[in-house]
Amino acid sequence: MEKHIDFVGRNGGQGEVAGQIMANGKLNVGLLRPWIGVNGRTYATVYKGAGDPKKPENYQNIMINAAGTLRRDEWKQLDEAIIPIVESRLVGVQDLITKGLTYNLGNAMGTTVLESHTMSDAMQAELTMDGVSRSKGDRPTFNTNYLPIPIIHVDYEINARVLAASRSLGNALDTTSAERAARKVAEYLESMLFTKKQYAFGGGVISSYLNYTHRTTHTFTAWNAVGKKGSDIIADVLAMKQKMINKHFYGPYTIYVPTAYETVLDSDYATSGTATQTIRDRILKIG
């Protein structure tokens, strides 16, 4: 299945979605989901612009001139099929969202590059009796960084005849393509986080956990290697934690474990009487 990336720049747009943004000046996701009402007219459900966007009362239905394709309940069927697929086991990106490690752009669809700045250390405090002696009066320097804002999407179609058949026979909408598309997008996002995949555009690069320039690394023998003991694994975790502390990252920490290590972590670490502690239990006791 092909993957396409849309761009919007000063010289125009590339891709179907980008074309709509250039034509309308911005993207309202609600307007891209027109639904057919019981009277045959087309409507869209849009955010009012105030209040919690997760609450239904902060949305309104408006009639639009665009031609609708799906009924409102059919859009719901697509959502119900897509959301579980996206959430299934692909936890890396969702962890970032859950921990609040996101940055919301005012018009993300109309922004191709995010500009940020890094600042050097500067100034030095002095200890004197009169406060008259001059302290070091330097100033911080700033570097400009750019982060591409691409779009990840998969193209699919709902056959008009299949759609008509589902309506006339009362069958549920076939959401197979929607499920696969959602899964492919989620997998692509996850691969950008956990593999050495990089994406460069506009003078900036999107890096992963594995190739970010300022990452901290630690090398150890595989946890499923022959002869690897529970105490060795704990030593590896403590060594990684110490490296983070040395760079002033004090937690909380998250460890992503390869599937090959899963059963190893459930092995016995220590047994006291009838109580058994697994290696996983011991790791979770580390602050």
Side-chain angles (χ1 to χ4, degrees):
M1 190 173 290
E2 294 184 359
K3 301 177 179 69
H4 303 281
I5 298 179
D6 289 30
F7 293 109
V8 177
R10 289 178 295 179
N11 299 323
Q14 172 184 318
E16 182 178 352
V17 176
Q20 292 189 36
I21 299 170
M22 296 300 295
N24 301 322
K26 62 179 181 178
L27 179 69
N28 188 322
V29 176
L31 295 178
L32 294 182
R33 296 163 64 94
W35 48 273
I36 304 172
V38 294
N39 58 3
R41 295 182 178 179
T42 302
Y43 297 85
T45 302
V46 297
Y47 179 54
K48 293 180 181 179
D52 188 348
K54 295 182 179 180
K55 294 184 177 180
E57 59 265 27
N58 295 323
Y59 289 80
Q60 62 180 346
N61 298 328
I62 59 173
M63 189 168 65
I64 60 177
N65 294 324
T69 303
L70 301 178
R71 297 172 180 174
R72 189 170 186 177
D73 287 342
E74 291 168 342
W75 278 115
K76 291 180 180 179
Q77 289 181 43
L78 283 178
D79 288 341
E80 290 170 356
I82 289 173
I83 292 175
I85 292 292
V86 173
E87 295 178 344
S88 175
R89 193 167 171 78
L90 303 176
V91 298
V93 173
Q94 187 58 47
D95 277 351
L96 295 178
I97 297 173
T98 302
K99 297 176 188 300
L101 301 175
T102 59
Y103 183 81
N104 295 321
L105 298 170
N107 182 10
M109 292 296 293
T111 304
T112 57
V113 177
L114 174 65
E115 180 180 324
S116 63
H117 302 274
T118 54
M119 184 180 72
S120 67
D121 193 14
M123 304 181 200
Q124 182 175 319
E126 299 288 350
L127 180 65
T128 64
M129 292 300 297
D130 54 18
V132 176
S133 301
R134 297 285 296 176
S135 61
K136 186 177 180 180
D138 60 348
R139 65 177 184 175
T141 59
F142 296 88
N143 292 321
T144 302
N145 303 306
Y146 299 99
L147 182 70
I149 310 296
I151 302 170
I152 302 175
H153 62 98
V154 175
D155 299 331
Y156 68 91
E157 298 177 351
I158 298 177
N159 186 279
R161 188 175 187 185
V162 173
L163 180 60
S166 69
R167 291 172 178 172
S168 62
L169 298 176
N171 297 330
L173 181 66
D174 184 3
T175 58
T176 303
S177 295
E179 293 173 8
R180 295 311 305 159
R183 182 69 184 186
K184 293 300 182 181
V185 169
E187 288 176 351
Y188 198 91
L189 270 171
E190 207 78 354
S191 71
M192 293 182 69
L193 199 60
F194 289 113
T195 71
K196 293 185 178 180
K197 188 189 299 292
Q198 282 189 326
Y199 180 75
F201 174 79
V205 178
I206 297 178
S207 300
S208 71
Y209 287 154
L210 300 187
N211 53 26
Y212 178 60
T213 304
H214 302 293
R215 70 192 185 281
T216 299
T217 63
H218 179 70
T219 303
F220 55 81
T221 305
W223 287 358
N224 59 348
V226 177
K228 188 82 171 185
K229 297 182 294 185
S231 57
D232 298 328
I233 295 176
I234 297 304
D236 290 334
V237 175
L238 293 176
M240 289 188 285
K241 178 181 177 180
Q242 187 60 55
K243 285 189 174 182
M244 299 302 289
I245 292 175
N246 293 343
K247 292 192 174 182
H248 309 293
F249 295 110
Y250 303 108
Y253 307 102
T254 299
I255 299 179
Y256 294 100
V257 182
T259 304
Y261 294 178
E262 274 293 328
T263 54
V264 174
L265 295 183
D266 290 324
S267 301
D268 292 346
Y269 177 76
T271 303
S272 177
T274 58
T276 300
Q277 178 179 229
T278 66
I279 298 174
R280 189 191 308 272
D281 294 331
R282 178 64 184 86
I283 290 176
L284 292 174
K285 290 183 177 180
I286 297 175

